[in-house]
Amino acid sequence: MTRTISLLTIATLLFTFSMTSCADKGERESIHFQKAKQFVSEKKYQEAVLELKNVIKLAPDNDQAQVLLGDIYIEMGEVLLSARAYSAALKQNPENMRAHLKLGQMMLLTQNTLKARVIAKAILKKEPDNLDAFLLLAEVQVQENNLAGAIDTVQEAIALHPEEIRPRLLLGLYQEIKGDPGAVEKTYLNAIDVSPSSPESYIRLLRFYVANGQKEEASHLFEVMHDRVEKYDSDLIGLAEICEGLKMAEIAEKIFRYAVSTAPAGNTIPLLQMGRYYARNGDSDRAISAMQQALKIDPKGLDVLVNIADVHLSSGNNAEAESEISEALGIDPDHVGANYIKAVLAFNEKNYVNASDRLDFVIKKNPDHAMAYYYKALCLLQNDASSSTETNLIRAASGYSDDAEAWTKKQAEENLLKAVSLQPNLQRAKLVLAKIYLDDRRIEKARLQIEDILENDPELDQALVLKCTLKLLEEDFHSAEATCKKALKNNPDSSAWLVRLGFVYAAMKQPDQVKIACQKALDLNPMQFDALEMMLNLTVADKRFDEALALCEGHIEKVSGYSAAEAIVENMAGNVYLAQGNRESAIRKFEQAIEKAPRYILPRMGIVRLCASEGRYEDAVSGLEAVLSINEEYLPARLILGDIYYGRGELKQAENYYRGILKIDPGHGRAANNLAFVLSRYDNRLPEALSLARTAVKKLPKDPAVRDTLGWIHYRLGNTYQARSELEESLSLNPNDALANYHMGLLCYENREYDKAREFVEKALTLDPDFENAANAKSLLDY
């Protein structure tokens, strides 16, 4: 009896525990499912996935959980995982039509058209009025290139569901594809009648009107929509941008404002997009106003802060841009947009190294940021951005250790090409590319860029300037003339283009046309001093000095009252007197120019040249030092100082000045050549001399003195073959250079070509009996 009671008690307890456990299991399943739905509403998809996996673990037969899991995977872009989830749902419940439908849509998305068709047909067999299955079948038929069949299927769906607008919207789309505008308009109007308060039908019809240029119809429909619809639709922003692109600014602005007025509380996107619209159209005040309204809704909205900074930056308000972007970076130091704006600000402040570092960060985080590559290229083209130790090491590893400028241009070119590949309409990048190609005389590449720019914008002034330069380089002067005239047709009062036309006529050796073009330029703008200089050059070339001086005096009256402009003309008059050989009058004019503009360098350099030509080197040095006190980076002054000290035999001083130039401009050909020649005296410095000489040749390939320097250094290094090649090139460019003939004589002597050696050395002494190495040359001839 006792044993029976014990067994009964245990059985009862087990039953009670089992019931409690089942109830607890069901409750936990429900809690996880509800949490998953909550996470989905908050777009926290990873958390939702975890909750649904808990549901499935507790209840493997819960097909609804599998379907929701499939939906989440679609949102996450996990196509394969979503298909598995829908298949798992069907395995648990073959009658789950929603799972069938979702799987069919997945098949359609992955171009598995046949499976999608089978699924759509199977659903319709069980549920002949299933709207989603009809729409799936229609999309299958479109994928099968059966547009007529798709239209019939959608029309059947409309007949079964006359109160639904979805099939009507799909029908309108198919009719647009078919090219039946009358049917499209009627279909969308019917959709509006079916659901007058839904925005989708209005937006579709508005888009149709806008695309077909039906501005009045679009404007009227928008007013109807404004009165009837209070629901926000994210497609409004895209529609407004389409209107903007098609120059329907009035409608675009109305749509932006409507989107703002209907947006849900807390949604700042319409305000931000409207602000961007105003910014694109140059209305920075309204742009800032719209964005600040968005900022009131979300005070820590990073995208809003960055866009406000961008508007300030575009308006030239760098201080305001700096303030906004600092706040954004304070919230998130790694925000890509904020770092990009900060980089542009640093670039504008000429802090190219800082800008370059931030742009590297932006590109690392977003490799498709076209403007970051563009500004990176601009940074590289600045000297100090490529001077860091790290950059020098990279350059050396790339094989450009002896040519910083070539390496820099190569890197800049690669960044610009990347920018253009990402944003094909980025004209700014193409303009810089074309300029690089022109500077390097890569004519075909320059032509391709220029033609591409002008194909998209035939009137773009900067591109026409580059085309004119291209044609001058090609010596296609008639095309250069035509380019100038085309630009002048668009802007007949452009004195700058008249000056360019003057240059073209000068190249064509048509002095009368030069005068006409330059005089027109000066009549329009007396400050076009290039035009005045061209006219003076023509008269001085014909030794009509009095006419040239009269031209200067007459022009001083035209610019009277502008001391800087008067100084420029006085300096030109000084140069006319120099050409005439009138030293006193030249100095007087230079001094008058300096008196009117004390910081004007050119007249000071005119006096320096006079002093140097007369052997008054102390006065020349004093004048050059005065120039450098005005502008310490004025390279011609540094170069002449280096030459003067070299001529005096003060080689260390000369070296310092040449190195100073190369620090400012690493690609300065003349300074590189002169420093190479100085260093060629010392055996232990020949490798550096060779590197510098090669740089000089790349910059000045047709300069005989530069070729001579490189040949001489090769001779000093024992590179006989290279030495002969360079010295022969130098003498072919200038057979009458005493030093080059002497160097060739030494080379021949070294090769035991004694007769040739004597010929070259004798010629050197005949050309200049007192050249730098004349004493050594005479010793070879037993003088």
Side-chain angles (χ1 to χ4, degrees):
M1 182 67 182
T2 304
R3 188 166 182 267
T4 305
I5 294 172
S6 298
L7 289 173
L8 181 61
T9 303
I10 292 168
T12 304
L13 289 171
L14 287 172
F15 178 75
T16 304
F17 176 79
S18 174
M19 292 299 292
T20 304
S21 178
C22 289
D24 183 56
K25 182 181 175 183
E27 185 178 345
R28 281 186 289 139
E29 177 188 348
S30 177
I31 290 170
H32 285 303
F33 209 159
Q34 293 306 314
K35 281 185 178 181
K37 290 179 178 178
Q38 179 63 32
F39 282 134
V40 169
S41 68
E42 296 169 359
K43 296 187 177 180
K44 296 179 179 178
Y45 298 126
Q46 291 288 2
E47 292 87 340
V49 168
L50 290 174
E51 294 296 337
L52 287 170
K53 285 184 176 180
N54 285 328
V55 172
I56 294 165
K57 188 176 181 180
L58 290 166
D61 60 345
N62 190 329
D63 57 308
Q64 298 301 322
Q66 292 284 8
V67 171
L68 182 56
L69 185 61
D71 293 347
I72 293 169
Y73 280 137
I74 288 177
E75 292 294 330
M76 294 172 69
E78 299 284 358
V79 177
L80 183 60
L81 291 176
S82 64
R84 287 178 182 172
Y86 294 136
S87 297
L90 289 171
K91 187 176 180 180
Q92 297 302 326
N93 180 11
E95 299 302 313
N96 189 323
M97 291 298 111
R98 189 164 183 276
H100 278 294
L101 182 70
K102 289 288 185 177
L103 196 58
Q105 290 168 345
M106 292 299 304
M107 295 300 105
L108 189 70
L109 187 67
T110 56
Q111 301 288 307
N112 199 332
T113 313
L114 180 58
K115 282 191 177 180
R117 166 178 277 280
V118 169
I119 291 170
K121 284 288 191 179
I123 296 171
L124 287 170
K125 187 174 181 179
K126 289 190 176 184
E127 297 180 0
D129 62 345
N130 189 306
L131 176 59
D132 289 314
F134 270 109
L135 300 184
L136 174 61
L137 179 60
E139 290 291 89
V140 166
Q141 290 169 315
V142 168
Q143 210 166 82
E144 293 171 339
N145 295 320
N146 183 9
L147 184 60
I151 289 173
D152 289 342
T153 298
V154 175
Q155 285 175 332
E156 186 178 349
I158 291 170
L160 289 168
H161 300 275
E163 75 292 349
E164 283 278 356
I165 65 167
R166 282 191 299 151
R168 296 178 188 274
L169 296 179
L170 198 57
L171 177 61
L173 176 62
Y174 293 161
Q175 289 167 336
E176 285 189 61
I177 296 170
K178 185 181 177 182
D180 190 349
V184 172
E185 183 179 30
K186 182 180 178 182
T187 296
Y188 287 145
L189 287 172
N190 286 338
I192 290 170
D193 289 339
V194 167
S195 183
S197 61
S198 298
E200 296 91 339
S201 307
Y202 295 93
I203 291 173
R204 288 287 186 89
L205 185 53
L206 276 169
R207 198 184 295 269
F208 172 75
Y209 283 148
V210 167
N212 287 278
Q214 294 174 259
K215 188 174 180 180
E216 289 184 12
E217 289 85 347
S219 184
H220 172 71
L221 180 63
F222 176 75
E223 296 302 330
V224 174
M225 178 183 177
H226 188 276
D227 292 338
R228 292 182 180 177
V229 181
E230 296 181 359
K231 182 182 175 183
Y232 173 73
D233 191 295
S234 58
D235 285 345
L236 286 166
I237 302 299
L239 177 59
E241 289 172 348
I242 290 172
C243 292
E244 179 188 357
L246 293 172
K247 310 298 182 188
M248 297 183 183
E250 184 180 345
I251 298 175
E253 184 174 356
K254 285 181 178 179
I255 295 173
F256 275 120
R257 289 188 170 279
Y258 174 72
V260 168
S261 68
T262 57
N267 188 342
T268 60
I269 292 174
L271 277 167
L272 180 57
Q273 295 297 340
M274 186 168 72
R276 285 177 173 170
Y277 163 77
Y278 286 134
R280 286 193 296 271
N281 288 275
D283 193 340
S284 57
D285 290 339
R286 286 206 283 180
I288 295 292
S289 175
M291 291 177 185
Q292 284 177 339
Q293 288 180 56
L295 207 56
K296 287 178 182 178
I297 297 169
D298 183 7
K300 291 189 176 182
L302 284 171
D303 287 340
V304 180
L305 284 167
V306 170
N307 276 274
I308 291 174
D310 194 23
V311 175
H312 282 310
L313 183 64
S314 300
S315 304
N317 301 323
N318 286 358
E320 290 86 345
E322 184 71 52
S323 174
E324 298 291 344
I325 217 63
S326 295
E327 186 176 346
L329 288 169
I331 298 169
D332 181 4
D334 294 335
H335 190 278
V336 173
N339 274 281
Y340 169 71
I341 299 293
K342 186 74 173 178
V344 177
L345 284 166
F347 178 86
N348 290 345
E349 293 167 1
K350 299 186 178 180
N351 189 347
Y352 304 119
V353 174
N354 186 317
S356 186
D357 288 345
R358 285 192 181 272
L359 291 166
D360 286 338
F361 173 82
V362 171
I363 290 167
K364 182 179 179 181
K365 292 287 186 180
N366 180 7
D368 296 332
H369 199 303
M371 290 303 296
Y373 289 102
Y374 169 71
Y375 272 103
K376 176 69 178 179
L378 297 188
C379 285
L380 284 163
L381 292 171
Q382 307 303 319
N383 291 330
D384 67 339
S386 58
S387 61
S388 68
T389 302
E390 182 183 1
T391 303
N392 289 334
L393 288 171
I394 295 170
R395 186 170 69 231
S398 303
Y400 287 87
S401 57
D402 65 334
D403 196 339
E405 186 178 16
W407 182 85
T408 297
K409 281 189 176 180
K410 181 177 184 296
Q411 297 299 308
E413 179 185 352
E414 288 175 0
N415 277 276
L416 290 166
L417 288 169
K418 181 67 174 179
V420 170
S421 71
L422 291 167
Q423 192 174 324
N425 63 342
L426 190 55
Q427 303 289 59
R428 286 187 285 176
K430 293 177 184 176
L431 287 167
V432 180
L433 263 175
K435 189 175 186 307
I436 288 174
Y437 293 145
L438 285 175
D439 288 345
D440 292 347
R441 302 298 192 266
R442 287 185 276 172
I443 301 299
E444 285 307 314
K445 285 182 176 289
R447 187 198 327 281
L448 288 173
Q449 290 298 328
I450 293 166
E451 287 176 352
D452 185 51
I453 297 166
L454 289 172
E455 184 178 350
N456 291 303
D457 189 351
E459 314 301 328
L460 186 63
D461 197 70
Q462 292 166 284
L464 290 172
V465 170
L466 292 174
K467 183 178 179 181
C468 182
T469 304
L470 173 68
K471 296 305 174 184
L472 285 170
L473 287 173
E474 293 177 324
E475 297 187 3
D476 183 357
F477 302 129
H478 291 293
S479 292
E481 178 188 13
T483 302
C484 292
K485 288 184 174 179
K486 177 181 180 179
L488 284 165
K489 185 178 180 181
N490 298 333
N491 188 1
D493 294 332
S494 171
S495 60
W497 272 108
L498 284 164
V499 172
R500 288 189 193 95
L501 185 59
F503 279 123
V504 172
Y505 286 135
M508 296 171 77
K509 302 188 186 312
Q510 296 182 13
D512 292 340
Q513 293 298 328
V514 173
K515 290 177 186 176
I516 292 170
C518 289
Q519 190 58 60
K520 284 182 180 178
L522 289 170
D523 290 343
L524 288 165
N525 181 5
M527 301 298 179
Q528 281 288 7
F529 297 110
D530 284 341
L532 178 61
E533 189 169 26
M534 271 192 280
M535 294 177 74
L536 289 172
N537 288 341
L538 288 173
T539 52
V540 168
D542 292 339
K543 300 189 183 303
R544 291 181 283 118
F545 300 112
D546 291 342
E547 183 180 335
L549 292 168
L551 188 58
C552 289
E553 292 303 317
H555 205 73
I556 285 178
E557 292 180 10
K558 291 182 180 179
V559 296
S560 179
Y562 298 94
S563 58
E566 291 178 22
I568 292 171
V569 183
E570 296 283 17
N571 179 65
M572 289 182 178
N575 287 324
V576 174
Y577 278 122
L578 267 185
Q580 191 180 28
N582 189 336
R583 175 185 177 281
E584 290 76 15
S585 295
I587 290 176
R588 188 182 72 252
K589 283 295 181 183
F590 290 143
E591 288 175 343
Q592 287 174 358
I594 294 168
E595 184 179 347
K596 289 177 179 178
R599 297 185 64 80
Y600 185 29
I601 287 175
L602 292 183
R604 293 178 183 273
M605 292 298 291
I607 293 173
V608 165
R609 286 196 300 274
L610 265 173
C611 293
S613 68
E614 295 168 359
R616 294 187 292 116
Y617 294 113
E618 288 298 332
D619 291 338
V621 168
S622 296
L624 290 166
E625 287 174 347
V627 167
L628 291 176
S629 71
I630 295 169
N631 180 1
E632 64 179 7
E633 294 189 357
Y634 189 67
L635 301 188
R638 286 180 174 273
L639 188 65
I640 295 173
L641 275 168
D643 292 347
I644 289 173
Y645 282 115
Y646 178 82
R648 287 176 168 184
E650 298 177 47
L651 300 185
K652 188 59 182 177
Q653 283 282 65
E655 180 183 340
N656 288 341
Y657 275 107
Y658 296 143
R659 286 195 186 280
I661 293 170
L662 292 170
K663 187 175 181 181
I664 297 167
D665 179 5
H668 196 288
R670 184 64 56 200
N673 175 74
N674 293 4
L675 179 56
F677 197 73
V678 170
L679 298 181
S680 70
R681 291 169 171 261
Y682 311 104
D683 291 345
N684 63 338
R685 303 178 84 177
L686 285 172
E688 183 185 1
L690 180 62
S691 174
L692 288 163
R694 284 171 171 165
T695 296
V697 166
K698 285 178 182 177
K699 287 298 294 183
L700 304 166
K702 297 298 181 182
D703 189 301
V706 170
R707 289 285 183 180
D708 172 55
T709 299
L710 182 56
W712 170 241
I713 293 168
H714 275 304
Y715 168 79
R716 292 272 287 116
L717 286 165
N719 303 328
T720 306
Y721 178 79
Q722 294 95 322
R724 183 179 293 276
S725 174
E726 294 297 337
L727 290 172
E728 286 177 349
E729 178 67 17
S730 174
L731 289 170
S732 72
L733 293 166
N734 181 10
N736 298 320
D737 183 276
L739 194 58
N741 275 280
Y742 169 64
H743 289 157
M744 182 61 89
L746 287 178
L747 178 65
C748 292
Y749 192 93
E750 192 77 24
N751 289 336
R752 300 186 179 186
E753 301 172 74
Y754 299 118
D755 291 340
K756 280 188 176 182
R758 276 191 290 271
E759 287 176 15
F760 280 112
V761 174
E762 284 176 351
K763 184 174 181 180
L765 289 167
T766 302
L767 289 166
D768 184 358
D770 299 315
F771 78 93
E772 185 179 349
N773 294 98
N776 292 335
K778 290 173 183 177
S779 70
L780 287 175
L781 299 175
D782 298 325
Y783 275 24

